[in-house]
Amino acid sequence: QGLRSSSQYHNGRLYISTSLTKIHCLEAETGKELWQTQLDENPMRNRAQILCSVAVHQGKVYAGTSSSEAQAVCLDAETGAVRWRFYVVPDRSKGGGGSIWTSPAIDEAANIVYYTTGSVKSFIGTDPMLFTESLLAFDGNTGQLLWYDQVRPADPFDLDYGCHPMVFDAVHPAREHETRPCVAAGNKAGMFCFNRYTGQKYWKVMLTNATQKGGPLVNSTAVAYNRVFVVSNSAGIRGRPPMSVAAGLHAYTGDIQWWVANPALIEGPVAVAGEVFYQGLQNGILEAIDAKTGEQLWKHNLPGPIRGGMSIANGTLYTSTGTSVDWNVRDLRAEKTWKLYAFSPDGQ
């Protein structure tokens, strides 16, 4: 079973999800397995995977599956027993889909867990598919659905939510004492921001065309400094090559504070630290941008596509290059560009 996500450390334990929907709990010091739980009973038939990292909070492990029978699941962190489970398509005889591609977000104070879902895989009948292409808010203890917002029911255009939900408080641009409790997430139709307790929609911003390969993809968002940072792709049309844009949005209003055109797509996570926004492009460009103004601070041309995103720790930026065209086939030419890089904050 392959690994398509990061492990999570909590209270001396490691929690790991595998591609065939199994969660493992290991003793961090020794590697001894303490428990394992299979989420999908028939992952091969349902083409089920776990592509997101789990989230651990108050003795519970939250995970989601990508499959024709997608589900949001809460496990007991001590034993691996299922605490609650929510099928995105409740009546699976009428269709399937709603894959959960990204990790959940947790409002720790209110104990609310947020998931985003993907598009319909199959559809039978006239009943609406209420929870596909949606942002869902659950009570973290019971799994009660508190509210949801669906972009479009039974959507034929594959406009998945592919970005993790983000929890933050947004400050009014003129009245610093006035804040909004927000949860925001991006799908191929744009960036959406809601009241995280009621589901009231605060704003939506669309930066590029909404297509199967357009919009924000693969966790290409971040939040900091009262800004929401979004990378949005635009598919090539009429012989024009695909491109992307990066933008800094005001967290309270959604207003575009700055906007930068990029010469290539971005299919990996972005990062923000030290008031600098970092992005990596498919053409190998690694770029640092002033998070407040959008001004380019520095860039490097690396010898391969940047797909894995960036990590920042102790004043060092880490990134990598290299990807094969087909993840299931070893591309020896691509392997030559599989490298790890470390940069100082000023690009050295």
Side-chain angles (χ1 to χ4, degrees):
Q1 298 185 22
L3 301 178
R4 299 289 294 274
S5 60
S6 301
S7 61
Q8 297 295 300
Y9 175 86
H10 183 72
N11 287 343
R13 295 184 172 192
L14 286 175
Y15 298 89
I16 301 170
S17 58
T18 68
S19 58
L20 292 181
T21 74
K22 187 174 288 187
I23 306 292
H24 298 261
C25 175
L26 309 179
E27 191 175 72
E29 186 174 351
T30 65
K32 176 184 176 182
E33 184 173 77
L34 302 176
W35 55 259
Q36 58 175 258
T37 300
Q38 182 75 48
L39 300 189
D40 193 295
E41 294 180 357
N42 198 332
M44 300 302 291
R45 182 195 68 189
N46 296 328
R47 302 181 66 183
Q49 302 182 74
I50 298 178
L51 300 175
C52 60
S53 302
V54 302
V56 186
H57 177 61
Q58 291 187 350
K60 292 174 286 294
V61 180
Y62 300 98
T65 67
S66 162
S67 78
S68 59
E69 298 185 356
Q71 51 185 298
V73 183
C74 173
L75 306 179
D76 187 283
E78 185 69 24
T79 66
V82 176
R83 299 278 295 265
W84 55 262
R85 189 191 309 259
F86 179 90
Y87 285 98
V88 178
V89 179
D91 186 352
R92 296 181 296 286
S93 68
K94 296 182 178 180
S99 290
I100 296 173
W101 302 107
T102 63
S103 299
I106 301 171
D107 182 326
E108 295 184 358
N111 198 29
I112 299 174
V113 59
Y114 303 91
Y115 285 87
T116 58
T117 64
S119 58
V120 174
K121 300 297 183 186
S122 60
F123 184 65
I124 303 171
T126 58
D127 291 342
M129 304 286 264
L130 291 179
F131 308 120
T132 57
E133 285 185 27
S134 298
L135 195 153
L136 311 172
F138 298 97
D139 182 290
N141 287 328
T142 67
Q144 176 188 357
L145 181 63
L146 303 177
W147 62 263
Y148 76 95
D149 184 275
Q150 184 177 44
V151 176
R152 188 176 302 165
D155 173 40
F157 300 109
D158 193 30
L159 301 181
D160 300 272
Y161 268 104
C163 294
H164 53 276
M166 302 183 297
V167 172
F168 57 93
D169 291 329
V171 180
H172 190 281
R175 299 186 292 272
E176 293 185 358
H177 66 279
E178 184 176 327
T179 62
R180 282 176 166 174
C182 297
V183 59
N187 74 3
K188 296 172 186 174
M191 193 73 193
F192 298 80
C193 181
F194 305 90
N195 182 305
R196 65 177 181 262
Y197 302 130
T198 68
Q200 174 192 354
K201 186 183 294 181
Y202 286 140
W203 51 262
K204 171 192 173 183
V205 175
M206 183 176 177
L207 297 169
T208 58
N209 56 315
T211 66
Q212 184 175 1
K213 295 185 178 180
L217 296 176
V218 194
N219 294 330
S220 50
T221 60
V223 61
Y225 317 120
N226 211 34
R227 295 279 192 275
V228 175
F229 302 94
V230 185
V231 168
S232 188
N233 290 300
S234 178
I237 57 174
R238 298 180 181 178
R240 297 178 180 177
M243 58 170 289
S244 65
V245 300
L249 312 178
H250 197 287
Y252 191 96
T253 64
D255 292 340
I256 298 174
Q257 305 297 290
W258 54 263
W259 187 94
V260 175
N262 299 317
L265 297 182
I266 292 182
E267 292 190 332
V270 297
V272 182
E275 299 188 351
V276 179
F277 169 77
Y278 300 96
Q279 62 176 1
L281 282 63
Q282 266 194 348
N283 63 2
I285 291 178
L286 173 66
E287 189 173 24
I289 295 173
D290 187 296
K292 292 186 176 180
T293 67
E295 176 188 0
Q296 183 190 89
L297 302 177
W298 55 262
K299 76 172 184 178
H300 278 278
N301 293 302
L302 303 181
I306 300 171
R307 185 67 182 269
M310 282 75 64
S311 296
I312 301 166
N314 299 324
T316 302
L317 170 72
Y318 301 93
T319 191
S320 60
T321 60
T323 180
S324 60
V325 176
D326 185 344
W327 288 350
N328 297 313
V329 177
R330 288 173 63 87
D331 186 336
L332 298 180
R333 292 171 299 175
E335 285 185 13
K336 295 180 181 179
T337 66
W338 292 351
K339 296 181 179 179
L340 177 66
Y341 298 85
F343 289 89
S344 64
D346 59 357
Q348 301 301 310

